[in-house]
């Protein structure tokens, strides 16, 4: 579910101000294939996250495959605020 994916992203953001999709799937391996990756891209379309359609990353698809996907960066809500 999207909530599970959101929880995975939040788990990575607990240690970092920002994290790439490739780092999230390295920590939480993909088990549902390309649909799971699509879920992460959907999450990235919501602020404060970032999806660069003109840049790509290769990520582990979990089923022995690798996919080229838009570069996705998940950011904490507080990034860009006062330090």
């Amino acid at each position: 579910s999207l909530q599970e994916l959101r929880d995975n992203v939040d788990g990575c953001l607990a240690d970092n101000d920002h994290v790439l999709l490739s780092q999230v799937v390295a920590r939480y391996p993909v088990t549902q294939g390309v649909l799971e990756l699509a879920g992460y891209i959907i999450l990235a379309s919501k602020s404060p996250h970032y999806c660069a359609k003109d840049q790509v990353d290769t990520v582990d698809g979990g089923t022995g495959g690798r996919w080229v996907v838009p570069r996705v960066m998940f950011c904490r809500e507080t990034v860009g605020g006062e330090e």
Side-chain angles (χ1 to χ4, degrees):
S1 73
L2 284 178
Q3 184 58 50
E4 291 175 62
L5 301 181
R6 191 175 292 114
D7 290 345
N8 292 349
V9 170
D10 289 345
C12 290
L13 290 175
D15 301 326
N16 302 287
D17 288 337
H18 61 275
V19 64
L20 294 172
L21 173 58
S22 56
Q23 294 169 305
V24 174
V25 299
R27 184 168 172 181
Y28 300 99
V30 172
T31 59
Q32 303 299 315
V34 71
L35 292 178
E36 188 171 342
L37 292 173
Y40 281 117
I41 293 170
I42 290 168
L43 289 178
S45 68
K46 313 277 188 234
S47 181
H49 310 310
Y50 175 73
C51 183
K53 294 174 181 68
D54 59 337
Q55 297 177 5
V56 296
D57 282 324
T58 302
V59 298
D60 184 356
T63 56
R66 294 181 63 77
W67 285 292
V68 176
V69 297
R71 174 161 291 163
V72 171
M73 180 179 294
F74 298 101
C75 304
R76 285 188 191 169
E77 294 279 346
T78 57
V79 169
E82 291 184 27
E83 295 185 39

